Amino acid sequence: MSIYSYKQRNTIVLAILIILGCFVLYSLRTIAGTLLSTLVLYTILLPVFTFFIKKWNMKRWIAAILIILLSLIIIVLPFLTLSVMVIDKISEFQDDPIRIKNMMQKIEDFVGSKIDQPDLFDKAMGKMNQLAEELFPSVLGGAANIVLGLIIMYFLLYFMFVQKEEFEAGLLKYAPFREQNALKFATELKMTTYSNVLGQGFIAIVQGALVSIGFFMFDIRDPIFWGVISTFLSFLPVVGAPVVFVPAALIAIASGNTTGGWGLLLWGLIVIINIDNVIRLIIAKNVSDTHPIITVVGVIIGIPIFGILGLVFGPLLLSYFILTIRIYETSKLASERLEKLKSGEDE
């Protein structure tokens, strides 16, 4: 005979589950970015998987492998390309520090005296070093962690696709919402993901391309490199692309290329910045509206946690948090109305 009552056994089991759950969550903290990446990729690529299954009559495991290969090419390679380009550029600056120092000195002479900032060069270099350390810690620190994260992500993604019905049924079963609210949450989660990842990604690509075009038109050095950098920085609205084209324009003006410098500055302020607002209106109308404040705050939160991926995951996590609050409020209001109806019937 057990010394515990039925209620005591359930309480003890619940306590054990909570303790073990805390240990599991603590152990998973190092791959939090990988798990979030898996969820995002599953949401984005699910329509492609469904298309392969229904239209092309593919077997599930073949469709899953094909999607994994395609995503490697479309998603992973750009990040690897960026990493290589940044490392090459850092090596170039290290090999020729006098050139970069001369450029920054020209900016300091041109701008620093006008805004009463005599140490502009040292402050700018300090900020750039800090930003690089926050954005690229994993890239500069260890490729092994990146490879391990990719293996885990695609391992999970494969089984999520192959066992799609079981996976989604499990999510629905253990979701802390009623079925109707859980389905609504899933739909809004999908729209939020599309808006933050695909919408922001499209804006970033367009702005990066426009930065490269501006550099080409006004004869500024390294248009491809700075276009790629602008693409990633453009995930931060308003201030993303200007971080690249404003200093470049000032360097050009200070170096004597007055026409090119002013031309690039006007191109950036008139075309590059405003195209952001136009595309955001289209995305808000057709997909979902992500307020720029959410994006900025999300990036500030995300970069220290995820590095460069924080440009995407920070706003995404913040959007998920706000969405969860909205669903909770809806569920709470529904419960309160139900309680009032029951109280009325009892009376």
Side-chain angles (χ1 to χ4, degrees):
M1 295 290 293
S2 175
I3 62 173
Y4 302 107
S5 67
Y6 180 77
K7 185 176 181 180
Q8 288 174 332
R9 283 198 299 271
N10 284 342
T11 303
I12 292 171
V13 170
L14 179 61
I16 292 172
L17 283 174
I18 293 173
I19 293 171
L20 291 176
C22 290
F23 276 116
V24 170
L25 289 175
Y26 179 77
S27 301
L28 292 176
R29 73 192 188 283
T30 56
I31 60 170
T34 299
L35 298 178
L36 184 58
S37 300
T38 307
L39 176 63
V40 170
L41 280 182
Y42 178 81
T43 303
I44 292 174
L45 298 176
L46 183 59
V48 182
F49 177 78
T50 304
F51 176 81
F52 286 163
I53 295 297
K54 292 185 177 180
K55 298 295 183 180
W56 290 4
N57 295 319
M58 277 189 184
K59 293 183 178 180
R60 286 173 176 257
W61 67 273
I62 296 176
I65 291 175
L66 182 58
I67 285 176
I68 287 172
L69 294 175
L70 289 174
S71 67
L72 272 171
I73 296 171
I74 297 172
I75 298 172
V76 176
L77 283 182
F79 282 96
L80 293 178
T81 302
L82 173 69
S83 303
V84 172
M85 293 177 72
V86 169
I87 292 171
D88 287 343
K89 185 59 66 173
I90 291 174
S91 300
E92 180 184 329
F93 288 158
Q94 288 176 342
D95 294 338
D96 190 11
I98 296 176
R99 182 172 67 87
I100 184 67
K101 189 170 183 178
N102 288 337
M103 284 194 304
M104 295 305 295
Q105 192 64 50
K106 288 178 180 178
I107 295 180
E108 185 170 340
D109 294 339
F110 182 75
V111 180
S113 58
K114 292 181 174 57
I115 60 175
D116 195 24
Q117 291 288 334
D119 298 325
L120 182 64
F121 170 75
D122 294 333
K123 292 177 181 178
M125 290 304 295
K127 291 292 184 181
M128 288 174 64
N129 289 333
Q130 181 183 352
L131 180 61
E133 289 173 2
E134 290 180 348
L135 283 177
F136 306 105
S138 58
V139 172
L140 302 177
N145 292 332
I146 299 175
V147 174
L148 179 61
L150 288 175
I151 292 172
I152 295 173
M153 180 180 70
Y154 282 120
F155 177 80
L156 295 174
L157 194 64
Y158 174 82
F159 285 102
M160 287 166 67
F161 280 132
V162 172
Q163 299 177 350
K164 172 180 173 293
E165 285 75 15
E166 294 87 342
F167 170 69
E168 293 183 354
L171 290 179
L172 191 62
K173 179 180 178 181
Y174 293 105
F177 308 117
R178 294 180 180 178
E179 183 175 351
Q180 181 180 1
N181 285 335
L183 293 174
K184 180 182 178 182
F185 180 79
T187 301
E188 295 200 23
L189 195 73
K190 180 176 70 174
M191 292 296 102
T192 300
T193 304
Y194 285 172
S195 174
N196 278 277
V197 180
L198 298 181
Q200 288 294 125
F202 181 69
I203 291 173
I205 290 171
V206 171
Q207 286 194 314
L210 290 174
V211 168
S212 287
I213 291 171
F215 274 55
F216 271 120
M217 286 193 305
F218 301 107
D219 196 25
I220 309 295
R221 288 186 58 175
D222 298 325
I224 300 298
F225 172 78
W226 292 114
V228 172
I229 295 297
S230 298
T231 298
F232 284 86
L233 292 180
S234 292
F235 277 95
L236 184 61
V238 182
V239 299
V243 170
V244 174
F245 72 75
V246 171
L250 294 177
I251 291 173
I253 295 170
S255 300
N257 184 8
T258 307
T259 303
W262 283 110
L264 179 62
L265 195 60
L266 291 174
W267 172 262
L269 295 176
I270 296 173
V271 178
I272 297 175
I273 291 180
N274 288 312
I275 200 70
D276 183 339
N277 299 325
V278 173
I279 298 176
R280 283 182 191 279
L281 288 174
I282 297 173
I283 293 172
K285 183 178 180 180
N286 294 280
V287 182
S288 177
D289 186 17
T290 301
H291 198 280
I293 292 178
I294 294 177
T295 305
V296 173
V297 175
V299 167
I300 294 172
I301 295 171
I303 287 177
I305 301 173
F306 301 109
I308 190 171
L309 294 178
L311 293 172
V312 179
F313 289 161
L316 200 58
L317 278 178
L318 191 57
S319 297
Y320 288 170
F321 175 72
I322 294 172
L323 176 59
T324 305
I325 292 175
R326 286 169 48 200
I327 295 296
Y328 170 76
E329 289 175 344
T330 302
S331 180
K332 186 178 180 182
L333 288 174
S335 299
E336 289 175 353
R337 284 197 296 266
L338 185 61
E339 289 295 330
K340 288 180 180 179
L341 290 174
K342 286 183 178 179
S343 300
E345 290 176 358
D346 292 339
E347 294 174 358

